[in-house]
Amino acid sequence: MIHQAATTPRAGRRRLLVVSALAIALWVIAYGQIQALADLLAFEVLGLEPGSHLGEAVAFFLYDVPKIFLLLSGIVFVVTVIRSFFPPERVRQVLVAGGEFSGTALAALLGVVTPFCSCSAVPLFIGFVESGIPLGVTFGFLIAAPVVNEVALILLAGLFGWQVALLYVGTGLLVATVGGVVIGWLGLDDQVEAYVREIKLGNAHEERPTLAQRLTEAWAYTRDLLRRVMHWVVGGIAVGALIHGYVPTEFVVEYAGRDNPLAVPLAVLIAIPLYSNAAGTIPIVQALMAKGVPLGTTLAFMMAITAISVPELVILRRVIKPRLIAVFVADVTAAIIMIGYLFNAIL
């Protein structure tokens, strides 16, 4: 009996690890097959024509809906499990130990090295808010994560060398840090939804749960968050899919060409309703640059697509109120326009 009692917890942990490994494997397989399945449904099952406006819009919708929900479920779950090992007070101490500016810079640096698009950065941002980390510090991360993306970095390094690529990273880091500090100074903590503050207060007590309890609680939290944002995300992606399918690159070239001094802000305004991740913007970037759109304008267009997306704002609306969303959009838009003009000037 003693031997059986001693081995039962170990056997339970083994089963838990096996189930977790299978779940991760299924998640990876599903994520890797989204594009093929979306194309199959759109062009084979529904019989839509590849390259047509309707076909591209439907294929985009069928691809992006499962992609966003897989990203949200995977990232929220993992971040929630990781967060359970770090008491909120300890995280707060690390990020604000040297003051608000250094904490914001540290959070922005985390955003720079984290390969997240805007939607997949939101769950970690939510975790920061719920942990009681100052609002300006959390926005330093949220601004940096999509603004400084790996596609732009590789593109700049390949075309113009690592000096220009590092300038891009440094500029994005500065913009995110300053933007986060400004949002912190505005004192908009009352713009966080009440249920988020309640979760934050609920996490204040210290516990040492078992791994099984951490996984169970993380899955329950993930399901609750997905339930809250499900219809908003689907609606936002539907709008983005319509624009994706029916707004050609020629429209951007016409109004954001080399001879227009207002090309950068116009490119950003055109891009805001669109949505794609960084990798999905590569064909757009190639098409715009081939048609003579300056690099700074192209970068601004790409960053606006990835950093100020409709699905992201929809998800954020479940966490923060419209006034703070408006401040965030204005901050990021101004930062992207500044970067666009800077790169047009030096290149």
Side-chain angles (χ1 to χ4, degrees):
M1 293 295 293
I2 296 176
H3 176 72
Q4 182 180 0
T7 57
T8 298
R10 187 179 303 170
R13 286 194 295 270
R14 281 199 299 267
R15 285 194 296 270
L16 184 62
L17 290 175
V18 170
V19 171
S20 300
L22 287 174
I24 293 172
L26 289 174
W27 189 96
V28 171
I29 292 171
Y31 190 81
Q33 296 301 314
I34 294 175
Q35 186 67 69
L37 182 58
D39 290 343
L40 176 66
L41 291 174
F43 304 128
E44 300 294 334
V45 176
L46 298 178
L48 301 175
E49 182 181 351
S52 66
H53 294 311
L54 180 60
E56 292 302 316
V58 171
F60 181 91
F61 179 81
L62 293 175
Y63 167 73
D64 235 42
V65 168
K67 183 198 74 172
I68 291 299
F69 279 107
L70 278 174
L71 282 173
L72 278 175
S73 60
I75 293 172
V76 170
F77 181 80
V78 171
V79 169
T80 304
V81 172
I82 294 174
R83 198 178 65 198
S84 70
F85 289 92
F86 299 94
E89 187 57 36
R90 186 186 306 173
V91 177
R92 266 198 304 272
Q93 288 173 355
V94 171
L95 285 178
V96 302
E100 187 172 355
F101 185 87
S102 62
T104 307
L106 184 60
L109 183 61
L110 176 62
V112 167
V113 300
T114 305
F116 289 162
C117 67
S118 56
C119 282
S120 51
V122 170
L124 192 54
F125 163 81
I126 294 173
F128 283 178
V129 173
E130 292 173 355
S131 297
I133 295 170
L135 200 60
V137 176
T138 66
F139 270 95
F141 167 81
L142 187 65
I143 295 171
V147 166
V148 182
N149 67 68
E150 67 279 10
V151 174
L153 182 63
I154 294 171
L155 177 68
L156 289 173
L159 292 176
F160 302 102
W162 282 105
Q163 294 87 346
V164 174
L166 290 176
L167 175 62
Y168 162 69
V169 173
T171 304
L173 182 60
L174 178 63
V175 163
T177 302
V178 172
V181 169
V182 169
I183 289 175
W185 285 346
L186 292 175
L188 298 172
D189 292 82
D190 62 331
Q191 295 298 300
V192 177
E193 291 291 351
Y195 85 90
V196 178
R197 290 196 296 270
E198 291 169 3
I199 295 175
K200 178 174 66 179
L201 292 173
N203 285 341
H205 59 280
E206 294 271 347
E207 287 186 353
R208 295 189 63 86
T210 65
L211 179 59
Q213 289 173 328
R214 296 181 198 274
L215 295 177
T216 301
E217 292 174 4
W219 176 235
Y221 175 79
T222 302
R223 285 183 305 178
D224 180 64
L225 180 63
L226 292 177
R227 180 183 57 80
R228 290 175 183 273
V229 305
M230 181 181 299
H231 57 289
W232 296 98
V233 172
V234 172
I237 294 174
V239 173
L242 288 174
I243 298 173
H244 174 84
Y246 287 90
V247 178
T249 56
E250 288 77 9
F251 178 81
V252 180
V253 173
E254 180 180 355
Y255 293 100
R258 189 178 299 277
D259 298 328
N260 188 351
L262 297 177
V264 174
L266 280 175
V268 172
L269 289 176
I270 293 170
I272 286 176
L274 307 177
Y275 173 70
S276 177
N277 59 18
T281 62
I282 293 177
I284 301 174
V285 169
Q286 291 173 332
L288 293 180
M289 293 187 67
K291 294 181 179 182
V293 177
L295 178 63
T297 307
T298 303
L299 276 177
F301 183 74
M302 180 183 67
M303 287 189 289
I305 289 177
T306 59
I308 321 172
S309 67
V310 172
E312 175 196 26
L313 299 182
V314 167
I315 297 171
L316 279 177
R317 177 60 191 93
R318 310 307 297 167
V319 184
I320 59 179
K321 298 178 182 179
R323 182 183 170 195
L324 184 51
I325 291 178
V327 172
F328 167 70
V329 171
D331 193 337
V332 176
T333 300
I336 292 174
I337 291 174
M338 184 191 75
I339 292 174
Y341 277 122
L342 173 65
F343 277 86
N344 278 347
I346 65 176
L347 299 175

